[in-house]
């Protein structure tokens, strides 16, 4: 089956959650309506023989699981050739203290928080073992620099220097425990360039297969700031052969999708023709599972607002129980996902509660079916956005986005990139996606 995304474009990694991964290992409940032509494992879009759509790149986080556990789900059961799995090391959960380490408490004294983390040997051993066992690429273990802005974080009172020191110790732990079964991506944190440069100088000794960068630096300060950091790294040989992957954490918008492709083209031309860029989010899963929302394919055109993902509530009502009405007929977009073409409202509305019209007629499987639709919609949106920007060079791309892409290309090709970046700084920093 043809892949959803061309290798010429930066690649989106849907961040598969534990619920989605586990439901595919269970049978459809007896008597529950389900499309006759499908099986639950058809929701595994990363498998090459998928009946719905094929996208081999995806992400899963160790932060979703209990420390020391061996989860049994579609991800841990997969063969290592079934797609390319990127493992997140749980930095988000570490930062907020929700990783499951009981010695970490909100807003601890800095020294106590550092000591608790330094003594978490079994946790770090489990994280490294999990990532080495199941993933093709893995993020290194960081203690994020954003924690001092979060009062609920155990590391709220820590200094950037303390957080950097803890992360360097994590790298030393990985370096002494890794077995060569996954490709490590060295995480770079920072909220601005000086901040990120200090982190980079502290961690660049660690040799992996590429890097993963906090998206905060671009979302907060604009693409110019991200570009400056990447060019500093490039000049220090960060993206030479062997360091073939660059991941941007936690971002998934159509405007950023085309900017990441523009940056990928620049780095391929100036540093490493084999380099790929990826970006991720859990948005398709949260929208369906937490907020009962379906993502609608946007009508990308020259208006900036048209490049924003649209959402609609999943139709649910007791009158839809056993309904043959096609889900596709309820969607505002003419282009719908492969699974939406197979679903009826009766496949989603299954809760009856003895005739009581409850607010929620959906069950967990309903959410998973819509999640599959949402993942396809995100991928198709990014595919169309990249095709419009780089293949068709269409006027359906807003002029300001075209200007930013041209500025990225100009900076990468300039003899003096710092001077070129200064010329384009206002335009580039104004883009935050």
């Amino acid at each position: 089956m043809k892949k959803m995304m061309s290798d010429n474009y930066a690649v989106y990694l849907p961040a598969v959650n534990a619920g989605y991964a586990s439901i595919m290992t269970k049978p459809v409940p007896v008597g529950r309506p389900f499309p006759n032509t499908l099986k639950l494992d058809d929701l595994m879009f990363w498998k090459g023989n998928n009946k719905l759509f094929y996208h081999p790149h995806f992400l899963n986080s160790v932060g979703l699981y209990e420390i020391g556990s061996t989860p049994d789900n579609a991800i841990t059961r997969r063969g290592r050739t079934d797609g390319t799995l990127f493992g997140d090391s749980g930095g988000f959960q570490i930062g907020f203290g929700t990783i499951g380490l009981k010695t970490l408490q909100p807003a601890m004294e800095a020294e106590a928080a550092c000591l608790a983390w330094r003594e978490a040997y079994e946790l770090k051993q489990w994280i490294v073992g999990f990532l080495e066992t199941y993933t093709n690429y893995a993020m290194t273990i960081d203690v994020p620099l954003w924690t001092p802005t979060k009062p609920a974080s155990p590391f709220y009172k820590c200094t950037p220097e303390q957080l950097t020191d803890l992360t360097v110790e994590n790298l030393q732990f990985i370096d002494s425990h890794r077995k060569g079964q996954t490709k490590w991506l060295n995480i770079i944190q920072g909220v601005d360039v000086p901040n990120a440069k200090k982190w980079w100088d502290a961690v660049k000794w660690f040799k992996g297969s590429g890097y993963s960068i906090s998206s905060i630096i671009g979302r907060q300060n604009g693409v110019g700031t991200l570009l400056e950091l990447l060019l500093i790294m490039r000049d220090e040989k960060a993206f030479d052969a062997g360091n073939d992957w660059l991941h941007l954490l936690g971002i998934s918008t159509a405007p950023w999708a085309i900017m990441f492709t523009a940056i990928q083209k620049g780095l391929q031309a100036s540093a490493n023709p084999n380099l790929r860029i990826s970006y991720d989010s859990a948005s398709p899963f949260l929208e369906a599972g937490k907020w009962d929302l379906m993502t609608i394919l946007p009508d990308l055109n020259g208006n900036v607002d048209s490049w924003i993902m649209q959402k609609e509530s999943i139709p649910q009502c007791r009158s839809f129980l056993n309904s043959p009405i096609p889900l596709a007929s309820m969607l505002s977009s003419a282009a719908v996902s492969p699974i939406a073409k197979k679903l009826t409202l009766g496949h989603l509305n299954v809760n009856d509660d003895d005739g009581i019209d409850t607010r929620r007629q959906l069950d967990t499987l309903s959410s998973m079916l819509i999640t599959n639709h949402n993942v396809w919609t995100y991928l198709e949106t990014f595919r169309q956005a990249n095709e419009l920007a780089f293949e068709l060079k269409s006027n359906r791309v807003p002029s300001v986005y075209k200007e930013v892409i041209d500025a990225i290309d100009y900076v990468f090709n300039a003899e003096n990139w710092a001077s070129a970046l200064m010329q384009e700084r206002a335009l580039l920093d104004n883009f935050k996606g």
Side-chain angles (χ1 to χ4, degrees):
M1 178 175 286
K2 183 180 178 181
K3 290 190 295 185
M4 287 284 294
M5 189 74 70
S6 167
D7 288 343
N8 294 325
Y9 307 148
V11 60
Y12 174 56
L13 309 182
V16 178
N17 63 25
Y20 193 87
S22 65
I23 202 165
M24 286 174 281
T25 63
K26 301 173 183 177
V28 177
V30 176
R32 191 208 186 277
F34 196 78
N36 292 331
T37 59
L38 295 181
K39 297 184 295 184
L40 274 174
D41 63 7
D42 290 320
L43 298 181
M44 287 189 278
F45 52 82
W46 54 87
K47 294 192 69 173
N49 60 350
N50 198 290
K51 291 180 181 178
L52 296 170
F53 66 93
Y54 175 49
H55 182 67
H57 299 92
F58 63 115
L59 180 143
N60 186 239
S61 175
V62 299
L64 300 173
Y65 305 110
E66 183 179 349
I67 295 172
S69 66
T70 305
D72 180 20
N73 60 38
I75 287 175
T76 58
R77 290 185 185 184
R78 66 181 271 277
R80 290 179 71 91
T81 58
D82 290 335
T84 302
L85 174 60
F86 290 72
D88 186 90
S89 57
F92 180 87
Q93 290 80 7
I94 292 168
F96 276 104
T98 58
I99 193 69
L101 187 63
K102 294 180 180 179
T103 53
L104 290 178
Q105 299 297 323
M108 301 170 68
E109 293 302 319
E111 291 300 329
C114 291
L115 179 61
W117 182 255
R118 287 189 171 107
E119 293 181 342
Y121 176 84
E122 291 184 358
L123 168 58
K124 286 178 273 193
Q125 188 178 46
W126 174 73
I127 291 174
V128 172
F130 184 100
L131 295 172
E132 287 271 352
T133 300
Y134 299 114
T135 71
N136 303 96
Y137 289 85
M139 317 297 166
T140 53
I141 308 170
D142 65 324
V143 184
L145 286 181
W146 49 257
T147 52
T149 68
K150 307 295 181 182
S153 171
F155 305 99
Y156 177 60
K157 297 181 181 180
C158 291
T159 65
E161 290 74 22
Q162 287 174 312
L163 299 172
T164 304
D165 288 344
L166 290 177
T167 300
V168 169
E169 292 170 19
N170 293 341
L171 292 175
Q172 292 167 343
F173 185 93
I174 294 170
D175 203 34
S176 62
H177 286 78
R178 58 180 167 179
K179 299 178 181 179
Q181 295 172 192
T182 191
K183 297 179 179 180
W184 289 94
L185 302 179
N186 194 351
I187 290 184
I188 309 300
Q189 286 280 349
V191 295
D192 54 36
V193 171
N195 190 249
K197 181 66 165 59
K198 288 181 180 178
W199 182 287
W200 162 245
D201 287 337
V203 305
K204 62 187 177 185
W205 62 268
F206 180 87
K207 303 304 179 185
S209 298
Y211 299 90
S212 180
I213 295 181
S214 169
S215 62
I216 292 174
I217 195 167
R219 288 185 297 175
Q220 182 169 301
N221 299 305
V223 73
T225 302
L226 174 61
L227 202 57
E228 181 179 355
L229 174 62
L230 293 177
L231 287 163
I232 289 171
M233 292 173 63
R234 182 201 65 178
D235 288 354
E236 296 189 28
K237 311 300 183 183
F239 305 114
D240 283 7
N243 291 323
D244 297 333
W245 207 281
L246 172 64
H247 182 69
L248 282 300
L249 287 157
I251 192 165
S252 59
T253 68
W256 270 115
I258 61 175
M259 299 313 159
F260 290 149
T261 295
I263 293 171
Q264 175 175 284
K265 288 177 178 294
L267 287 173
Q268 285 176 340
S270 65
N272 181 353
N274 296 317
L275 184 130
R276 295 295 307 278
I277 288 181
S278 58
Y279 51 103
D280 77 88
S281 77
S283 299
F285 301 84
L286 291 172
E287 286 158 3
K290 189 173 183 179
W291 299 304
D292 290 350
L293 294 174
M294 301 181 296
T295 310
I296 308 303
L297 194 69
D299 178 23
L300 301 175
N301 58 55
N303 186 332
V304 167
D305 289 343
S306 75
W307 283 56
I308 299 172
M309 288 287 192
Q310 302 300 312
K311 317 289 190 302
E312 292 180 4
S313 295
I314 301 172
Q316 53 180 316
C317 176
R318 188 168 181 272
S319 64
F320 294 151
L321 293 170
N322 301 312
S323 171
I325 297 174
L327 174 64
S329 69
M330 306 289 287
L331 299 179
S332 60
S333 173
V336 297
S337 68
I339 200 166
K341 295 175 182 177
K342 297 179 181 296
L343 293 175
T344 67
L345 300 188
H347 291 138
L348 303 174
N349 290 263
V350 296
N351 288 338
D352 193 6
D353 287 351
D354 297 323
I356 300 173
D357 189 1
T358 60
R359 186 194 70 81
R360 185 172 171 81
Q361 308 296 143
L362 313 177
D363 66 359
T364 301
L365 183 49
S366 307
S367 299
M368 298 304 103
L369 293 168
I370 295 301
T371 295
N372 186 272
H373 159 81
N374 289 353
V375 170
W376 179 90
T377 304
Y378 270 75
L379 288 166
E380 179 62 11
T381 299
F382 301 150
R383 186 198 66 78
Q384 288 189 17
N386 276 286
E387 185 176 80
L388 290 171
F390 298 103
E391 305 301 330
L392 303 177
K393 301 188 183 299
S394 170
N395 59 11
R396 291 169 59 189
V397 179
S399 57
V400 66
Y401 296 165
K402 292 181 179 180
E403 291 171 8
V404 175
I405 289 172
D406 289 343
I408 291 171
D409 181 66
Y410 169 66
V411 172
F412 268 111
N413 284 289
E415 186 173 337
N416 184 333
W417 68 258
S419 176
L421 182 60
M422 186 176 298
Q423 294 176 39
E424 303 292 340
R425 195 71 193 228
L427 171 67
L428 291 168
D429 279 352
N430 193 50
F431 176 86
K432 297 180 173 68

